[in-house]
Amino acid sequence: MKRALFAGSFDPFTIGHRNIVERALKMFDSVVIGVGVNDGKNPMFPLDKRLQGITEAFADEPRVEVASYEGLTVDFARECGACCLLRGVRNGRDLEYERQIAAFNSRVAPEIETVLLMADARYEDISSTLVRELYRYGKDISDLVGW
């Protein structure tokens, strides 16, 4: 069984993130959405809200699991039985960043591949950072979040 891990802070989980998972389900038997806990970050949305929202968004899709984790993403990938790390790429800046992370991860866990999916053009301008900014100023973000 081919299982992918799509990991991130997902603060919040956007419609772009959701699109990556939906497209990945065409390639993998299952996808684990790993919500990383990073003590160095101060998320806007509490962990339980992020987990609940993502779980509810995929309630009708038994091939999607949602879990939180701490520590290295590759360690969590091993723990959940993922053969690869799934990442979304919106632009050249994302590509360079993801290339560096993939190279590092291949040193630590050579058995786990990184698969990059280009963002759907409809969502390439959406980032969690910008969505948080809109939310902070009281704007409606319901059409931008994937939960």
Side-chain angles (χ1 to χ4, degrees):
M1 187 166 108
K2 298 257 184 228
R3 172 179 281 185
L5 170 61
F6 186 39
S9 60
F10 303 122
D11 185 34
F13 189 81
T14 70
I15 56 175
H17 294 132
R18 184 179 179 120
N19 180 258
I20 294 291
V21 173
E22 290 168 346
R23 291 169 44 213
L25 287 170
K26 296 175 186 175
M27 296 179 276
F28 298 96
D29 299 313
S30 65
V31 174
V32 175
I33 301 172
V35 182
V37 176
N38 182 341
D39 291 334
K41 288 187 175 182
N42 186 20
M44 179 169 282
F45 296 93
L47 177 63
D48 61 338
K49 178 170 177 55
R50 289 179 279 154
L51 291 170
Q52 178 184 1
I54 299 167
T55 300
E56 289 174 3
F58 291 99
D60 294 332
E61 180 49 77
R63 298 179 303 144
V64 173
E65 297 173 36
V66 181
S68 64
Y69 73 97
E70 294 185 48
L72 292 177
T73 300
V74 291
D75 289 340
F76 182 64
R78 286 179 178 129
E79 183 181 312
C80 68
C83 66
C84 74
L85 301 174
L86 177 64
R87 304 296 297 166
V89 176
R90 294 170 297 159
N91 52 43
R93 192 175 14 196
D94 282 357
L95 180 61
E96 180 55 25
Y97 174 77
E98 294 299 340
R99 187 198 64 73
Q100 290 175 338
I101 298 298
F104 174 78
N105 285 337
S106 70
R107 288 178 185 271
V108 178
E111 76 281 11
I112 298 175
E113 292 292 336
T114 297
V115 174
L116 304 177
L117 285 182
M118 296 304 297
D120 186 301
R122 296 173 294 173
Y123 309 120
E124 64 187 10
D125 62 327
I126 298 171
S127 73
S128 292
T129 301
L130 294 175
V131 173
R132 283 193 309 272
E133 190 74 5
L134 291 173
Y135 183 77
R136 183 177 292 117
Y137 287 100
K139 303 299 182 191
D140 180 21
I141 62 168
S142 60
D143 63 333
L144 299 172
V145 293
W147 59 49

